[in-house]
Amino acid sequence: PIWDGSDWSDPEVTRSPAWAIAQVLRSRGTADDAIDLSSLLALSTVWADRYDYFDYKFGEQISTWEAVAMIARVGRAIPLIRGSRYTFVRDAPQTMPLAAYSMRNIRRGSLQLMPVLASSETMRTLDMEYWNFRRWTWETVTAQIYAGVIYVYRGEIEFAALGIPAPDPNLRGRIKMPGIIGLNHAKR
């Protein structure tokens, strides 16, 4: 079923991560008022405009939270529990909430700030595996930061054409993204 802002539709086939998330939560007995349906409705529009789809069949048993997180990740989002509601936040430019803190509204010893700054040890290259629906195999696309710019390439031929130095193997990570089946979606 798809939420239109007031009612659920009859069940239908969809590739939308939003309604896959809702289906997972509702199938586990989560009530509608415990799901932030308005954020899912807004995200479904964003994901449809970007052609961000969730194309995956669960074959192994995982927790509800892992399934919801996996689905949200294909649209650059994460699930959160705020109070007793599931809500979702997409990684995108947005306004930051503002708050003023002073000695009058902070209990002594309760505030601790630990900023984490980028260093020479920060990961600079990420290999992301996605499912190529044309070849029916897992393939890899690489994102590399060089001189403040993110370069995305697939394979040595594209890498050589960019004219950037080879990635440092010590500052390289790897992630598998189930649900992403196309190169353009993987690059985004």
Side-chain angles (χ1 to χ4, degrees), residues 124-125 142-147 149 151 153 156 158-169 172:
R124 296 284 182 206
T125 306
T142 302
Q144 180 177 343
I145 299 173
Y146 176 69
V149 177
Y151 295 90
Y153 54 89
E156 297 300 320
E158 285 186 26
F159 168 73
L162 293 172
I164 57 176
D168 183 344
R172 192 170 194 156

Side-chain angles (χ1 to χ4, degrees), residues 11-177:
E12 60 184 81
V13 176
T14 180
R15 298 171 68 194
S16 172
W19 311 127
I21 289 169
Q23 177 62 28
V24 167
L25 291 173
R26 293 177 83 217
S27 70
R28 301 300 300 158
T30 306
D32 287 351
D33 60 351
I35 304 170
D36 187 356
L37 293 173
S38 60
S39 74
L40 282 180
L41 185 60
L43 285 171
S44 73
T45 304
V46 171
W47 290 332
D49 291 345
R50 293 174 47 87
Y51 303 102
D52 288 346
Y53 301 125
F54 180 70
D55 297 305
Y56 186 74
K57 180 181 178 184
F58 290 99
E60 68 282 352
Q61 191 169 9
I62 62 174
S63 71
T64 302
W65 184 260
E66 289 172 316
V68 168
M70 179 192 298
I71 298 166
R73 199 169 34 238
V74 302
R76 295 177 46 185
I78 60 167
L80 301 170
I81 298 176
R82 289 191 178 145
S84 61
R85 291 182 79 199
Y86 287 92
T87 190
F88 311 90
V89 177
R90 186 176 175 277
D91 182 20
Q94 46 189 294
T95 58
M96 296 295 294
L98 298 178
Y101 294 101
S102 69
M103 297 306 289
R104 299 182 108 188
N105 58 4
I106 299 175
R107 184 179 301 157
R108 184 181 304 273
S110 67
L111 178 67
Q112 192 174 40
L113 298 176
M114 303 197 57
V116 178
L117 303 175
S119 69
S120 61
E121 300 301 312
T122 304
M123 184 176 59
R124 296 284 182 206
T125 306
L126 179 66
D127 295 323
M128 195 202 66
E129 291 182 71
Y130 70 98
W131 183 256
N132 185 323
F133 72 98
R134 289 192 172 105
R135 295 184 181 158
W136 282 78
T137 61
W138 287 99
E139 293 196 1
T140 302
V141 65
T142 302
Q144 180 177 343
I145 299 173
Y146 176 69
V149 177
I150 299 174
Y151 295 90
V152 181
Y153 54 89
R154 183 179 62 173
E156 297 300 320
I157 296 171
E158 285 186 26
F159 168 73
L162 293 172
I164 57 176
D168 183 344
N170 297 321
L171 302 176
R172 192 170 194 156
R174 184 170 205 84
I175 188 171
K176 194 171 204 172
M177 294 293 292

